[in-house]
Amino acid sequence: MSPVEHSLVSGEISTIENKGGGINTTLKTSNGVEGIFKTKKGEYDSKVRASIIVKTQYQREVGAYRMDKILGVDMVPPTVERNIPGYGVGSHQEFRKGFKNWSGAPSEYQRLVSSTTETKQSLFDYIVGAEDRHGGNFMVNSKGDIALIDNGLSMGSGDEIWLRVANNFKLNDFVDNKTTRDIIKSLSADKINLMKVELLDSKLINEQEFKCILSRINYMAKSIANNDSERLFYSYKTGSSKYINISNIFSTDDLSKVMDITIKNIEKMKEVI
C-alpha cells in the first residue's frame, strides 16, 4: 500500500467539508492528503443504470482504481474503501490538485493531451465498461495529463451495454493502435488471476460482472489477433453521441473456463503480433 493509499484508508481526518448532496465530501488528513469521500448511503435508492446494482457505486470506484493499476494506465487517482463515523462506508479518492474538469478546462490544456493518453483512456473505459464518462467526469491539467474520476457507473453486468465514446472514435484505428496492443499484450495469467483477487474475491463486483470484463478483454485480444474489429464490435450514432456495444459473451459459462479462454486468447494474440 502506497503512503497516499495508507493516508486515505486510515489517516487522521483534520478537515471535513460537505460538498452537498450527501455524496461528495472533501476530507483532509493530518498529513495533508486531500480526498473526495463518496458515501454508500448517499447513493440513489433506485437504479441509475440498468446494469449497475443499487448501492454499489462506491465499490466500483475502488475497483476502477485497482483495474487501473493492473492495466498500467495510471489515470485513476488512488481510491480506497473507508468507513468514517457519522458518514458510514464509502470510497475515498485522492483529490488531484491542478486538474480541471474537461468541460471547463482551458483549450490549451486539452490540446496537450497526447494520442497515447487518449488511447489509454478509451481502452480503460472500454475494459471496465464505464457508462458515465462525460466532460464532467474526467480531468486534465496544464501538462495534458488525464485523471479519470466518478467511476461508480462502471463494471456492470448487463448482457448488452452501450458505451458512449467520442464521435471520432474509429474501431479499426483503436485496435491497430500500438498503445492498445501493448496494454493487452502486457496481460498474463498472473494479471488475470490478480483481477479476480482484487475485484471478485474482494467482493467489489460479482461473478457476472467479472465475466463481462473478461469478455471485453477477449474481444480486444481476438480483434488484434484477427485484425478484424467490425465483426466483434458494432456501433451506432445518435445526436451528438456515438456508442459501441460491449456484450457479455460468457454469461452462462463456468468462470474457470472463461479465465482459461481469456488467457489463451491473449497468448494467441501475442504469437500473431
Side-chain angles (χ1 to χ4, degrees), residues 190-205:
D190 287 344
K191 284 192 175 182
I192 296 299
N193 283 306
L194 180 59
M195 289 180 192
K196 179 178 179 292
V197 171
E198 293 285 355
L199 300 176
L200 181 59
D201 295 350
S202 63
K203 299 182 179 180
L204 291 179
I205 61 176

Side-chain angles (χ1 to χ4, degrees), residues 237-257:
K237 182 176 179 179
T238 176
S240 60
S241 297
K242 180 179 177 182
Y243 296 80
I244 58 173
N245 176 263
I246 46 178
S247 301
N248 177 18
I249 60 175
F250 296 127
S251 60
T252 61
D253 291 329
D254 178 77
L255 178 59
S256 59
K257 176 183 176 182

Side-chain angles (χ1 to χ4, degrees), residues 181 183-193 217-218 220-222 224-226 258-273:
R181 294 180 175 221
I183 291 175
I184 300 299
K185 189 176 179 180
S186 74
L187 298 178
S188 61
D190 287 344
K191 284 192 175 182
I192 296 299
N193 283 306
I217 292 173
N218 266 278
M220 190 57 62
K222 290 176 70 176
I224 293 171
N226 300 330
V258 174
M259 293 178 68
D260 286 342
I261 292 172
T262 303
I263 293 166
K264 287 177 181 177
N265 280 333
I266 292 171
E267 293 305 315
K268 180 181 178 181
M269 180 208 72
K270 292 177 182 178
E271 293 174 2
V272 173
I273 63 173

Side-chain angles (χ1 to χ4, degrees), residues 50-96:
S51 67
I52 305 296
I53 299 171
V54 174
K55 297 291 187 180
T56 62
Q57 291 183 44
Y58 75 99
Q59 294 172 297
R60 298 168 198 278
E61 296 276 2
V62 178
Y65 172 58
R66 294 184 180 185
M67 277 296 291
D68 173 272
K69 289 201 297 181
I70 293 171
L71 294 171
V73 173
D74 194 28
M75 290 185 182
V76 179
T79 311
V80 302
E81 184 175 319
R82 182 163 185 172
N83 196 321
I84 297 177
Y87 289 83
V89 68
S91 62
H92 193 196
Q93 182 177 86
E94 180 191 25
F95 177 75
R96 285 287 168 91

Side-chain angles (χ1 to χ4, degrees), residues 1 13 33 60 67 83 92 98-99 113 127 154 160 193 208 212 233 257 259 271:
M1 183 178 292
I13 304 298
V33 174
R60 298 168 198 278
M67 277 296 291
N83 196 321
H92 193 196
F99 283 74
V113 177
I127 290 176
S154 63
E160 184 177 84
N193 283 306
Q208 191 73 349
C212 286
F233 301 87
K257 176 183 176 182
M259 293 178 68
E271 293 174 2

